[in-house]
Amino acid sequence: MSLDLYTENYDYTLPEGFIATVPVHPRDHAKLLVYDRSTDSITHTTFKHLLDFIPKECDVFLNDTRVIKARIFGKKEAQITNDKGFVQGGGKVELLFNKPLDAHHYLVMIRGKVQIGSKLLFDDTLIATVTKLNTDGSRVVSFTHHTKPIRFEELVLILDNIGHLPLPPYMQREDNKEDETDYQTLFAKNAGAVAAPTASLHFTPELFAALQSRHKTHKITLHVGAGTFKPVDAKHILEHPMHSEYFYIPQASASILDSNRDVLAIGTTVTRTIEYYVRTQKTQGECDLFLNPSNPPERVTHLLTNFHLPKSTLIMLVSSFIGREKTLHLYKEAIEKNYRFFSYGDAMLIL
């Protein structure tokens, strides 16, 4: 079996202090590693010079999802547990919203022991009732507000008031007021993600305006789910159960993908969505595409991305463009040049 199919071969050692827990300011002062496949050359620069490297005749695709305050804290409803009226107190719980399954059921993660029928009480009279326990540790719940069932559009507004942004666990800190701006893209529009499309976080208003003046830009939506942080535990990468995420591609964007124009994908989420469309011709639904060296991209010409966790599906996606060994070589180079890693870290452009 090829070495590319073993999870352990996507590992690397990140020295202490290289995980970015806050972004640089201004956003476009982040470092940028540019790798040109045609010349096998590496350039070290900063993000504000991005437009100097994007080929002139190239359309740019962005993800306009908006991160919701998906993390909420509450307590379990107290229950009478025997005929003598013994009341078992409700313990604390933490709920992480993942995605809607239908009009009234939602996939979530819950920290705290629950069972089917458990009621979880949150601020603003929001109540979650557990309806299913999945074997992977996730839970299905329904929500009520003031005792009335609510739909996703109403839930988002409540979460905006009582919830917290779900920063990645590796940041090892709680969210703050600055994150409400820092962890959203300038063009965030459609609510539903629990993680930001981080390659887009580097744009300042001025740089984004310059990008739009020089290149045709197109939006797609992919609501990044909690599964994006799930490590690949399987020994062989193809045994990894890939998570699925809701996506939508407007017809105007799809028509460009049906053409032969060069495409720059801003981020791994955009890449997966485009490549899923190319393979299925679906413009809406659940994307569960796993790009890796044995399943390389067919449509995306260039990729802008951040530096990702070891043994993750995201570093495997980067490897689908340039190969595993080259990816690890570039990561080693980035470490030697003191690049900052992960969601608030620096960026890489693959040409």
Side-chain angles (χ1 to χ4, degrees), residues 268-313:
T268 58
T269 62
V270 172
T271 302
R272 289 180 59 240
T273 306
I274 290 174
E275 293 295 330
Y276 188 78
Y277 169 75
V278 169
R279 288 158 171 76
T280 66
Q281 293 300 296
K282 294 180 179 179
T283 58
Q284 187 173 1
E286 292 284 322
C287 173
D288 61 356
L289 180 65
F290 181 16
L291 292 171
N292 58 76
S294 68
N295 185 26
E298 298 175 4
R299 182 65 182 89
V300 175
T301 321
H302 313 291
L303 170 66
L304 177 73
T305 187
N306 281 23
F307 293 90
H308 305 292
L309 280 79
K311 300 183 186 179
S312 64
T313 59

Side-chain angles (χ1 to χ4, degrees), residues 179-197:
D179 293 312
E180 295 185 17
T181 300
D182 292 338
Y183 203 57
Q184 297 282 13
T185 66
L186 295 175
F187 40 84
K189 178 182 178 183
N190 297 312
V194 301

